[in-house]
Amino acid sequence: MKIFYAIQATGNGHISRATQLYPYLKKYGEVDFFLSGNNASLDFNLPVKFKSKGCSLYYSKCGGLDYTNIIKNIKPRQIYKDADILPLKNYDVVINDFDSVTALACRMQKVHSVQFGHQASFISGNTPRPEKRSLMGEFIFKNYAPAPQNIGLHFEAYDSFIHPPIIKDEIVNATPTNLKHITVYLPSFDKDCLEKAFKSIADVQFHWFLDTVQQEHTIENITYFPVNQKKFNNSLITCEGIITGGGFETPAEALYLGKKILSIPIKKHYEQECNAAALKKLGVPVIYDVADDFNTIIENWLNTDIIYPRMRANNITETLEYLFDTYKR
């Protein structure tokens, strides 16, 4: 069997999920990956056969999306060209993790596909949303990477086609400990936006992962790390808690490990606002603005005992069996 797997590279979570799935997919046949977008900073070892700039996200300085830059870098003519030359008819199965170029190519070439991943869960109206829904956000969920078949991943099974998160083997097989540091992963924030708050809590050690850092180093109570999967996994497994955005994979792994979470969803990022709504239902504290009292918020969070429901890991073998058994050929 020949399998085409499209990865949306607007963040590291999609790549992390594909990396975890790859050994399982290889049991079904030959897998070629398509990388669309250029935001990911994670090192990976996957057989990427096709690439496209697709649509990428750009961030403002302190925790928001830069829509001007996003729109400026969308090249519709190039997207259509990239979709037209993808040889999808050479593949038996097309798996799409929320990529618009692949979805367009499937429509143009009349090829079946399955949307597989976290964004597919939002096809269901039962999946948590914020109090104020975004018409544009809902439109994107349904029309950015549509497919005739959907297999969603989320914190809970909000609908019949939604499965538990894909948790990396390194996390599943780990024995969590608490070395009292706080892991920080907030890719939409520049260092200047948060550094003062972290340094003001001198008795707390922070492990801060930044794509602008080239080499691990420590200044006062902050150890700065480059974005590296192995080091991040180790930091998460041994931390007291994690401060992160409103993504999906990182909070899911933290919940699986039973770690404290403080979530700061990216401003004007509707998917992250939806994830934040789901996290709040699970008891995770969420803040929407980082202000002068951020250090106080962190200290209060650390001093509050929080018990989250235990997160299940995905039975990858079972989920992929379902995918291939129900795929329309």
Side-chain angles (χ1 to χ4, degrees):
M1 184 182 295
K2 293 195 68 177
I3 302 164
F4 180 96
Y5 191 118
I7 307 172
Q8 172 58 266
T10 55
N12 293 324
H14 300 268
I15 290 176
S16 178
R17 178 161 52 244
T19 301
Q20 175 65 23
L21 288 170
Y22 182 44
Y24 295 86
L25 288 168
K26 284 196 292 185
K27 297 174 184 177
Y28 289 89
E30 179 185 347
V31 187
D32 290 336
F33 288 92
F34 171 50
L35 199 64
S36 178
N38 57 7
N39 287 111
S41 54
L42 197 66
D43 290 333
F44 60 93
N45 185 22
L46 294 170
V48 176
K49 192 166 184 178
F50 310 99
K51 288 185 178 182
S52 170
K53 290 186 177 180
C55 299
S56 295
L57 297 182
Y58 296 88
Y59 303 112
S60 60
K61 183 176 173 63
C62 291
L65 285 177
D66 182 349
Y67 281 100
T68 301
N69 232 348
I70 292 170
I71 294 169
K72 185 175 72 174
N73 283 278
I74 294 175
K75 310 294 182 185
R77 188 174 298 177
Q78 186 62 47
I79 288 172
Y80 272 88
K81 182 179 177 181
D82 292 344
D84 186 51
I85 63 175
L86 281 180
L88 296 186
K89 290 188 176 180
N90 295 343
Y91 293 88
D92 301 294
V93 173
V94 176
I95 301 171
N96 187 359
D97 190 351
F98 205 58
D99 169 50
S100 60
V101 179
T102 300
L104 176 62
C106 286
R107 290 199 299 273
M108 292 168 65
Q109 301 175 33
K110 295 181 172 54
V111 172
H112 185 77
S113 67
V114 56
Q115 185 186 173
F116 178 82
H118 178 54
Q119 282 80 5
S121 69
F122 294 105
I123 297 300
S124 171
N126 298 330
T127 304
R129 262 63 168 194
E131 290 184 10
K132 185 177 180 180
R133 295 198 178 202
S134 163
L135 293 176
M136 178 58 71
E138 293 292 332
F139 178 84
I140 290 171
F141 281 154
K142 293 177 173 57
N143 297 283
Y144 182 78
Q149 181 181 357
N150 295 282
I151 298 177
L153 306 171
H154 215 308
F155 302 129
E156 295 186 308
Y158 305 108
D159 213 319
S160 59
F161 66 94
I162 299 175
H163 298 252
I166 304 291
I167 306 292
K168 295 191 293 287
D169 288 340
E170 294 88 343
I171 301 298
V172 171
N173 297 328
T175 301
T177 58
N178 184 359
L179 299 183
K180 297 298 182 180
H181 64 264
I182 302 302
T183 302
V184 181
Y185 180 59
L186 292 164
S188 65
F189 282 85
D190 285 359
K191 188 167 67 169
D192 295 344
C193 303
L194 307 173
E195 196 170 46
K196 182 180 177 181
F198 294 156
K199 285 184 176 180
S200 72
I201 316 172
D203 59 339
V204 176
Q205 296 295 313
F206 293 91
H207 287 187
W208 195 357
F209 289 81
L210 290 156
D211 59 11
T212 54
V213 171
Q214 301 301 315
Q215 190 170 0
E216 177 183 337
H217 63 281
T218 300
I219 301 176
E220 298 179 28
N221 62 324
I222 305 172
T223 301
Y224 300 87
F225 289 89
V227 177
N228 175 281
Q229 189 70 81
K230 185 176 181 180
K231 290 184 177 182
F232 179 80
N233 289 347
N234 182 65
S235 180
L236 180 61
I237 291 164
T238 59
C239 74
E240 181 172 357
I242 180 167
I243 304 174
T244 189
F248 174 60
E249 283 76 15
T250 297
E253 291 177 348
L255 286 167
Y256 183 85
L257 292 168
K259 301 294 184 178
K260 279 187 170 183
I261 305 169
L262 180 61
S263 174
I264 311 174
I266 297 171
K267 296 174 186 175
K268 300 179 183 179
H269 191 308
Y270 187 58
E271 181 209 329
Q272 293 221 350
E273 292 174 3
C274 293
N275 292 338
L279 287 169
K280 284 198 285 188
K281 287 178 180 291
L282 296 173
V284 174
V286 176
I287 63 172
Y288 295 92
D289 287 295
V290 173
D292 292 339
D293 64 344
F294 186 43
N295 57 336
T296 304
I297 290 172
I298 295 172
E299 290 176 311
N300 291 339
W301 166 64
L302 290 174
N303 292 326
T304 303
D305 291 329
I306 304 171
I307 300 175
Y308 303 135
R310 187 71 177 179
M311 179 62 56
R312 289 177 55 212
N314 193 292
N315 184 326
I316 297 175
T317 300
E318 182 181 279
T319 299
L320 290 182
E321 283 177 357
Y322 173 78
L323 187 158
F324 287 102
D325 287 346
T326 58
Y327 193 87
K328 179 183 174 182
R329 294 181 175 84

